[in-house]
Amino acid sequence: NTFHAGAVTGTMTEMGLLAEGPGPCNGNRFDNIAIEPSKPLYGHVVVRGSKTNVHMGSVRIEGTKQVPAVPMVHIYDNSYNNVIDGMILHQGVLADFYRNPDVKFLSYKGTSVQPTPNNAFRNAAFHGAAVAPDGTVAVPHWTLKEGPGQASLSF
């Protein structure tokens, strides 16, 4: 399926675009499309399913009233090889960037949410960093093996 030049807009309560199996749901292309529901519950673009992926080129994703805790693009962990590029405003992307290395967005605050290929460290951009209830900070793919020692990360 290929969709070219259009807009997904209006009052959508759950999501703007959903790509989901249960069988193969791959090869769906969305080019030069704006996706801009004001505040869907699950995000503007939701991709889930092990045989599900999307290819989106030159998309614009915007949600002026989006709740900060809800990512605008949510690619579930079992989905891979998604290709998305374009411009995203406000919130970010929730995805495994190692399984989806071609998910790239420009924003008004940065040049891309994709990890840089020039860095030799896995997860050099600290994606997925979170503060645990006990106050410690956990960063996926980072461990402090030698002790005593300490590292810090500011949010």
Side-chain angles (χ1 to χ4, degrees), residues 57-111:
S58 300
V59 295
R60 184 175 138 264
I61 300 175
E62 181 176 357
T64 55
K65 297 178 183 175
Q66 183 69 30
V67 177
V70 177
M72 295 187 87
V73 176
H74 188 171
I75 301 172
Y76 281 72
D77 288 342
N78 59 352
S79 179
Y80 58 94
N81 287 339
N82 290 281
V83 178
I84 306 175
D85 72 75
M87 185 171 74
I88 192 168
L89 302 173
H90 313 296
Q91 280 72 33
V93 178
L94 179 59
D96 182 341
F97 290 105
Y98 297 104
R99 293 176 60 105
N100 299 283
D102 292 318
V103 173
K104 309 170 196 169
F105 282 104
L106 298 177
S107 74
Y108 68 95
K109 289 186 174 182
T111 57

Side-chain angles (χ1 to χ4, degrees), residues 3-17:
F3 304 91
H4 182 75
V8 177
T9 186
T11 305
M12 292 166 216
T13 57
E14 293 189 4
M15 62 205 67
L17 181 108

Side-chain angles (χ1 to χ4, degrees), residues 1-66:
N1 299 319
T2 301
F3 304 91
H4 182 75
V8 177
T9 186
T11 305
M12 292 166 216
T13 57
E14 293 189 4
M15 62 205 67
L17 181 108
L18 170 66
E20 179 177 41
C25 180
N26 55 8
N28 294 299
R29 287 197 64 92
F30 300 86
D31 294 316
N32 301 311
I33 290 182
I35 301 172
E36 50 185 20
S38 64
K39 58 176 185 176
L41 292 172
Y42 304 109
H44 287 55
V45 176
V46 177
V47 182
R48 55 184 174 218
S50 61
K51 296 181 180 179
T52 302
N53 58 44
V54 295
H55 292 247
M56 305 177 89
S58 300
V59 295
R60 184 175 138 264
I61 300 175
E62 181 176 357
T64 55
K65 297 178 183 175
Q66 183 69 30

